[in-house]
Amino acid sequence: MSNGSKSERLIFNFSFLSSKYDISLIEKNTYKKLLDKIVQLSQIESMTVLLSMPKASGLEKIAKSSFKKDVGLPTNFTNSQRMDMVGDDYWVIRLSQQIRMIGKMTDTLFYVVAIDEQHEVYPG
């Protein structure tokens, strides 16, 4: 699963946010946490290092079957070749104990699909 990038750094794409968890709906203090986490993770030069970090500070892979609530992937994502590239699982980045950034991922490209401020999408 490659996005064609030669970079080993994580890249973020916000083009496919779910209307249920859109960034325009989040609290103002969440914006700083979101930006801080994106900057922090983007500075890590190796995906191997990033993927070996504890889930509290790195990435966590979650099966869709673990979700309590559907994030509602946009059809322009699900009806594209991206779905073949990202597989069935979701990836989660913790912004705080409660706030999660949820997405789909290729080798280095993280498609942000939801900002879950209430930690209502999956248990754990």
Side-chain angles (χ1 to χ4, degrees), residues 17-22 25 69-72 115 120:
L17 282 164
S18 166
S19 59
K20 296 178 186 179
Y21 296 96
D22 192 272
L25 304 173
K69 192 171 185 178
D70 183 35
V71 294
I115 307 295
E120 62 187 9

Side-chain angles (χ1 to χ4, degrees), residues 90-105:
Y90 284 82
W91 291 84
V92 175
I93 296 172
R94 294 169 186 236
L95 304 180
S96 70
Q97 281 194 315
Q98 184 170 333
I99 305 169
R100 306 291 192 261
M101 180 173 20
I102 300 169
K104 295 288 221 167
M105 197 166 80

Side-chain angles (χ1 to χ4, degrees), residues 5-6 14 19-21 34 36 41 56 58 62-63 70 75 77 89 92 100 103 106 114 121-122 124:
S5 172
K6 300 230 186 265
F14 285 83
S19 59
K20 296 178 186 179
Y21 296 96
L34 176 64
D36 287 347
L41 296 179
I62 302 287
D70 183 35
T75 55
F77 189 90
D89 294 325
V92 175
R100 306 291 192 261
T106 63
V121 174
Y122 74 98

Side-chain angles (χ1 to χ4, degrees), residues 6-106:
K6 300 230 186 265
S7 173
E8 275 293 311
R9 294 177 191 250
L10 189 60
I11 303 164
F12 293 88
N13 181 315
F14 285 83
S15 301
F16 301 100
L17 282 164
S18 166
S19 59
K20 296 178 186 179
Y21 296 96
D22 192 272
I23 199 165
S24 65
L25 304 173
I26 66 174
E27 300 283 328
K28 288 192 180 213
N29 63 351
T30 301
Y31 279 103
K32 179 169 179 3
K33 292 176 183 172
L34 176 64
L35 185 58
D36 287 347
K37 185 58 85 168
I38 288 170
V39 169
Q40 174 196 6
L41 296 179
S42 296
Q43 299 304 310
I44 298 169
E45 295 187 24
S46 165
M47 287 302 292
T48 303
V49 171
L50 179 61
L51 293 171
S52 66
M53 293 170 61
K55 66 183 181 181
S57 57
L59 292 163
E60 177 182 10
K61 193 174 191 178
I62 302 287
K64 184 179 179 181
S65 60
S66 299
F67 283 10
K68 295 185 292 186
K69 192 171 185 178
D70 183 35
V71 294
L73 280 173
T75 55
N76 61 342
F77 189 90
T78 58
N79 293 339
S80 73
Q81 292 179 335
R82 289 175 189 87
M83 282 302 290
D84 295 330
M85 293 171 56
V86 299
D88 294 331
D89 294 325
Y90 284 82
W91 291 84
V92 175
I93 296 172
R94 294 169 186 236
L95 304 180
S96 70
Q97 281 194 315
Q98 184 170 333
I99 305 169
R100 306 291 192 261
M101 180 173 20
I102 300 169
K104 295 288 221 167
M105 197 166 80
T106 63

